[in-house]
Amino acid sequence: MILNRRTILMGAAAGALAAPFIRPGAARAAEFTMKLANNQPMTHPTNIRAAEAVAAIAEESGGRVDVQVFPSNQLGADTDVLSQLRAGGVEFFLLSPIILSTLVPNASINGVGFAFPDYDTVWSAMDGDLGAYERSEIEKAGLVVMDRIWDNGFRQTTSSTRPIVTPEDFEGFKIRVPVSPLWTSMFTAFGAAPTSINFAEVYSALQTGVVDGQENPLAIMQTAKLWEVQEFASMTNHMWDGFWLLGNRRAWQALPEDLQEIVAKHFNEAGMNQRADVMAMNQTLRDDLEAEGFVFNEVDPVPFEQKLRDVGFYAEWKKNYGDEAWAILEAAVGRPLA
Ligand code: X2X
């Protein structure tokens, strides 16, 4: 129960002011109370699986660990929460590696345009060497990260003005991108006009016409109700993105080892279940979103990738990431990119 002036006054009016404080038989206060923040709506599989994980953690720890989940940017926009995570005001945070690159530059490498052809390649890379590489970079920056990355998905492009069919359709297109140099660079390479906006402000930016479009996986479009403010959905599949479950190192080290194991186990299990949920949703989401009014079109990715290559996008990012990281990416996707 949340106590504020209003609930106290209500309680007093009902003659039950003391009631919330006397709870015979209630579990004793947890030894470790922690917060898990994310940017996704309550209904997204991320929050359904996160809720299951924290319940399992409370139970298996015998009530010693109480993690509260804060969905929908309740604790702030992503770039603010990243600062809070570093400072210890938030203990856990599910964040896109591509946004995390504002702190850990090479964490965004999974987001290189058109690198992944399908989910099989994604999971073998992210549960294999590419994921291990990103995690080691994250740990070097002083954060804790769970082994299993959660799914955001393959990103598609929506618009209120025109469908994106060829790379030329991106020219001059006012598109919202998350806060990250990789996103800005990629849409600039297409000749679009990208604006960095945290997810917390995306719906209103689309509604008020600050931008004409955005790009996100279908599961986000559905749970954030983007059909209300967008018209066309183009299956550009231009990058794959996930969410690392990050932790504040001091808060993590304060947990005894047996509790660390319980927390990590349930967070990683929840990540695996969330992946399965999002993939299952993808089977039906296109029909659902069409029913809501989105007009879909397919896209041939080949000319899009070619355009990026022609303007030097891959060469530039190979230089930014360095040869070692780039070789891990190319091995993971099984082909040269630059
Ligand atoms: O901000 C976005 O677009 C989102 C929800 O996909 C991410 O977290 C990267």
Side-chain angles (χ1 to χ4, degrees), residues 39 78 96 99 152 155 176 178 183 199 216 220 241 243:
N39 65 10
D78 285 333
S96 153
I99 299 176
N152 189 356
R155 300 182 75 92
R176 170 270 173 171
W183 258 298
F199 190 66
N216 248 304
I220 296 271
D241 192 19
F243 298 103

Side-chain angles (χ1 to χ4, degrees), residues 182-217:
L182 181 68
W183 258 298
T184 304
S185 160
M186 180 166 154
F187 283 94
T188 304
F190 282 130
T195 306
S196 303
I197 300 175
N198 271 302
F199 190 66
E201 275 88 49
V202 166
Y203 187 96
S204 63
L206 294 167
Q207 192 173 35
T208 56
V210 171
V211 287
D212 292 330
Q214 65 86 46
E215 44 81 63
N216 248 304

Side-chain angles (χ1 to χ4, degrees), residues 16-338:
L17 181 58
F21 302 103
I22 303 167
R23 296 196 303 164
R28 65 192 154 79
E31 253 169 89
F32 301 95
T33 304
M34 302 168 122
K35 296 189 271 296
L36 166 60
N38 68 72
N39 65 10
Q40 292 149 76
M42 278 296 287
T43 49
H44 193 284
T46 293
N47 281 308
I48 294 163
R49 295 302 184 175
E52 275 178 18
V54 301
I57 290 166
E59 193 185 323
E60 201 179 332
S61 70
R64 294 174 70 196
V65 183
D66 175 14
V67 185
Q68 293 166 334
V69 182
F70 293 84
S72 294
N73 297 115
Q74 281 175 11
L75 299 182
D78 285 333
T79 47
D80 298 333
V81 178
L82 181 56
S83 307
Q84 293 179 50
L85 178 79
R86 297 175 70 194
V90 169
E91 289 82 9
F92 296 112
F93 185 24
L94 276 156
L95 181 65
S96 153
I98 312 177
I99 299 176
L100 177 60
S101 74
T102 56
L103 172 69
V104 184
N106 278 14
S108 67
I109 192 160
N110 62 270
V112 167
F114 302 97
F116 290 104
D118 52 37
Y119 266 119
D120 285 348
T121 314
V122 166
W123 300 133
S124 67
M126 299 312 290
D127 291 334
D129 290 347
L130 192 69
Y133 171 76
E134 286 188 14
R135 290 195 301 279
S136 75
E137 292 291 295
I138 293 167
E139 276 156 17
K140 273 192 236 157
L143 293 173
V144 170
V145 56
M146 298 298 125
D147 286 344
R148 301 295 189 170
I149 194 165
W150 299 33
D151 191 20
N152 189 356
F154 282 90
R155 300 182 75 92
Q156 319 299 350
T157 308
T158 71
S159 157
S160 60
T161 52
R162 59 173 186 261
I164 304 299
V165 183
T166 68
E168 290 70 47
D169 292 322
F170 271 136
E171 278 165 26
F173 184 58
K174 286 198 289 179
I175 184 168
R176 170 270 173 171
V177 293
V179 182
S180 163
L182 181 68
W183 258 298
T184 304
S185 160
M186 180 166 154
F187 283 94
T188 304
F190 282 130
T195 306
S196 303
I197 300 175
N198 271 302
F199 190 66
E201 275 88 49
V202 166
Y203 187 96
S204 63
L206 294 167
Q207 192 173 35
T208 56
V210 171
V211 287
D212 292 330
Q214 65 86 46
E215 44 81 63
N216 248 304
L218 298 183
I220 296 271
M221 291 182 208
Q222 161 83 357
T223 53
K225 301 188 193 308
L226 294 189
W227 67 81
E228 294 176 353
V229 288
Q230 293 281 271
E231 178 124 17
F232 301 100
S234 304
M235 298 297 285
T236 47
N237 283 304
H238 51 275
M239 65 220 279
W240 175 83
D241 192 19
F243 298 103
W244 283 121
L245 204 162
L246 306 171
N248 170 276
R249 188 183 277 171
R250 218 170 332 113
W252 182 253
Q253 286 173 347
L255 289 175
E257 218 168 285
D258 59 324
L259 295 183
Q260 286 181 354
E261 266 169 39
I262 291 171
V263 171
K265 180 180 82 179
H266 289 294
F267 278 161
N268 286 324
E269 267 176 30
M272 296 305 281
N273 291 331
Q274 186 266 11
R275 292 180 187 180
D277 294 344
V278 174
M279 288 204 289
M281 267 175 99
N282 280 334
Q283 309 298 317
T284 54
L285 269 181
R286 195 170 152 165
D287 289 346
D288 296 349
L289 288 165
E290 248 155 12
E292 298 290 358
F294 258 120
V295 178
F296 273 87
N297 68 282
E298 293 299 326
V299 159
D300 175 5
V302 173
F304 285 83
E305 185 179 332
Q306 192 56 47
K307 166 88 192 202
L308 291 181
R309 187 156 289 111
D310 290 348
V311 300
F313 171 83
Y314 293 104
E316 179 191 335
W317 282 91
K318 180 179 180 180
K319 202 162 86 211
N320 292 344
Y321 292 125
D323 289 343
E324 184 206 340
W326 195 261
I328 297 171
L329 174 65
E330 289 188 336
V333 302
R335 69 186 177 112
L337 290 165

